[in-house]
Every structure is written in structure tokens, then in C-alpha cells.
Amino acid sequence: MSWNHTRQIGQAQVHSLTDGQFRLDGGAMFGSVPRVLWERAAPADDLNRIRLRINPLLIQLGGENILIETGFWDQGGEKFEGMYALDRDETVFRGLDRLGLTPGDIHLVINTHLHFDHAGRNVTLLGDPTFPNARYVVQKQELHDALHTHERSRASYVPAYIEPIRDAGLFDVVDGEHELRPGLSVLPLPGHNLGQQGVVLRSEGQTLVYVADLIPTLAHAPLPYIMGYDLYPVTTLETRKAHLGAWFEQNATICTPHDPDAPFARLHENPKGGFTLQADS
């Protein structure tokens, strides 16, 4: 399967990549929303798991290759991968190869947060940085929380792909909203955890937002559709209310990290209030 999709945003070329498919419990993915509502958009298998995808994003801007997310941890073993029904029908590396790139060609990595399905490919099987010529951008709060876990967060972080980047001094730690390059910024999007950040690209009047797990799939756009995995669900709600209206007014291209089918989407007003996300082909 070939997933790569490309979009021109002003002076930037944006490529949606994938690191394969996986499944998570549908009830956990939609929190307090009844199954009779969410299963219309996200059918579950006989184990109540819905299909998801890992969707890193490559931005080519100003002669640099900037990668958002690195992919799903690849050292969990057979039992771990079976629990998540991980299907490497595609990898971020094959996607880069089709663009004529190697991991050494990446100049900057942006970790929206450090969960194993987003940052798991930060290091190689040998524990070396996967992208040896890149700096890795992470929020100060997120790096602290990833290194000081508790009972609710511990299963989401694996020190094996975090500590080597820290020890090599490759993390660029930012605190709050921060412009990384002209037109390219990171923006705190707390709720899923406290240190999550999204990525905003603005060029020639166009806007693209990588929303991280604030909105994991297109089906999660309605305001109450908040994951049970979110540590601070009311904060997620507040963060959505703070930003979705502006992104709608800007006609922003929205990229979600886990939609299984749509690499790019746009917000549309919901007659019942709030917004929906619809695929933007």
C-alpha cells in the first residue's frame, strides 16, 4: 500500500506519511459517547477495537525537511504488537524513500508528545537517534511528565526512545507557543496530557494545523467526542473551544494523527453546534 499524499501550502510542500495501522478500544477512544453514536463513523471489530492509523507529516520548507511525529514504537515485541493489532502495511521510512529522502535528510523532528504511538521511532533498534542530523522539539512540560510518570500515564511512555535523545542533547525544549521557522510554530494543545503541542504552518495566506491528539480522527471533531485516554478531558474541551472557531475562519487544512483514511480535512459548522471534520481530497 502507498499512503503518501501531498499538499501545497503556500511555499511549503506537505506530505502525509504513515507508519501503519493499529486498533484501540472504541469505548476508550470515544469516552462517554455511547457506542450507538460513534460506531456509525468508526465500526468496531469483534473485540470492540476501531481501526486507526499512524500519520506523521513531512513539511518541506525553506530547504529543510521537517518531520512531525516519528511513528509507532517498534521494539514492543509480538505480544505488544498483537494487543494493538499493529499492521505495518506501510512505514514512515518507505514513505520518505519514495520522496527520495533518508532519515539523515531530516533537519528537524517535532514530537507533539512522547507517547509510544507518536514518538516511538525516535530511536533505532540499537538505541541511536533515528534522525541523526535533526533536533527534536518537545514541550518542557511534556519532557518532564514523560520522565516522571504516574499510574495513569506510565503505560504511554517508554524510556528507551526518550532517554537516548535526552542524553545525546538532541531535544530542543520549548515552553509554550514558539516559532521554529518563519511561518512554522508549535502551539500548546493541552488536555490529552498537559504538554501536548500542535503544529501550525502559515504561508501565503494559507494555514495548516497538525492537531495531535486534540482531535485524533475526523470522527472526533464534535466537542463531546473526547477520548477516555485524555488525562484532562475538560481541558481538552476548553482547548477545542479556544481554537476550532479560529481554524474554521481561517479555512485551515487540518491533519489528524490517527484518521485511518483521510490525510487532510477541513472544519465545517455543525447545525447542532460546534464543528465536524470532512475529508479534503
Side-chain angles (χ1 to χ4, degrees):
M1 175 201 172
S2 176
W3 169 265
N4 296 47
H5 299 266
T6 298
R7 183 65 56 93
Q8 191 77 28
I9 303 294
Q11 297 182 10
Q13 267 208 323
V14 179
H15 308 273
S16 179
L17 310 178
T18 186
D19 202 42
Q21 301 185 73
F22 70 117
R23 288 181 178 268
L24 289 175
D25 182 84
M29 282 299 296
F30 287 95
S32 62
V33 178
R35 176 171 176 164
V36 68
L37 296 180
W38 59 255
E39 69 177 349
R40 301 171 188 172
D45 65 12
D46 56 358
L47 296 178
N48 201 48
R49 300 175 303 182
I50 65 169
R51 185 170 65 94
L52 302 166
R53 189 168 280 283
I54 307 107
N55 300 330
L57 198 71
L58 177 73
I59 297 175
Q60 295 183 299
L61 177 67
E64 291 189 299
N65 299 308
I66 300 163
L67 184 65
I68 305 171
E69 316 290 49
T70 60
F72 202 101
W73 190 44
D74 56 0
Q75 301 175 53
E78 184 176 347
K79 182 178 179 181
F80 178 86
E81 294 186 1
M83 179 168 51
Y84 296 104
L86 183 62
D87 177 5
R88 300 277 192 189
D89 63 347
E90 185 58 280
T91 70
V92 66
F93 304 117
R94 289 200 292 268
L96 290 173
D97 181 67
R98 278 193 293 274
L99 296 171
L101 300 174
T102 70
D105 294 319
I106 301 300
H107 299 90
L108 189 69
V109 168
I110 302 174
N111 290 142
T112 66
H113 56 300
L114 295 171
H115 288 176
F116 64 78
D117 56 324
H118 292 255
R121 298 267 211 181
N122 275 10
V123 301
T124 68
L125 292 173
L126 298 177
D128 300 317
T130 302
F131 306 95
N133 299 315
R135 305 290 300 177
Y136 291 65
V137 179
V138 68
Q139 286 285 326
K140 178 181 179 181
Q141 179 74 56
E142 177 64 1
L143 184 57
H144 174 273
D145 291 348
L147 296 171
H148 301 82
T149 59
H150 52 70
E151 288 78 4
R152 274 296 306 273
S153 67
R154 192 162 298 137
S156 298
Y157 298 106
V158 181
Y161 61 75
I162 300 170
E163 293 177 352
I165 303 300
R166 179 202 61 184
D167 295 345
L170 293 179
F171 275 127
D172 278 346
V173 180
V174 298
D175 191 5
E177 188 169 0
H178 186 81
E179 186 174 59
L180 302 173
R181 302 289 188 271
L184 183 70
S185 301
V186 291
L187 173 71
L189 297 177
H192 183 54
N193 51 25
L194 291 178
Q196 178 175 251
Q197 61 185 354
V199 183
V200 181
L201 169 66
R202 294 188 176 92
S203 181
E204 297 182 347
Q206 298 183 61
T207 301
L208 177 144
V209 185
Y210 191 92
V211 295
D213 275 337
L214 179 71
I215 308 175
T217 75
L218 271 59
H220 286 85
L223 291 174
Y225 283 44
I226 294 172
M227 291 189 289
Y229 296 113
D230 283 15
L231 297 181
Y232 306 93
V234 175
T235 302
T236 295
L237 180 62
E238 293 169 347
T239 302
R240 289 181 174 190
K241 288 181 175 180
H243 294 293
L244 264 60
W247 296 339
F248 169 74
E249 293 295 332
Q250 295 161 13
N251 195 31
T253 298
I254 303 296
C255 297
T256 68
H258 295 310
D259 195 90
D261 300 307
F264 303 107
R266 297 208 189 251
L267 289 160
H268 294 260
E269 286 185 305
N270 186 342
K272 297 179 181 180
F275 299 92
T276 63
L277 270 174
Q278 297 180 20
D280 189 38
S281 58

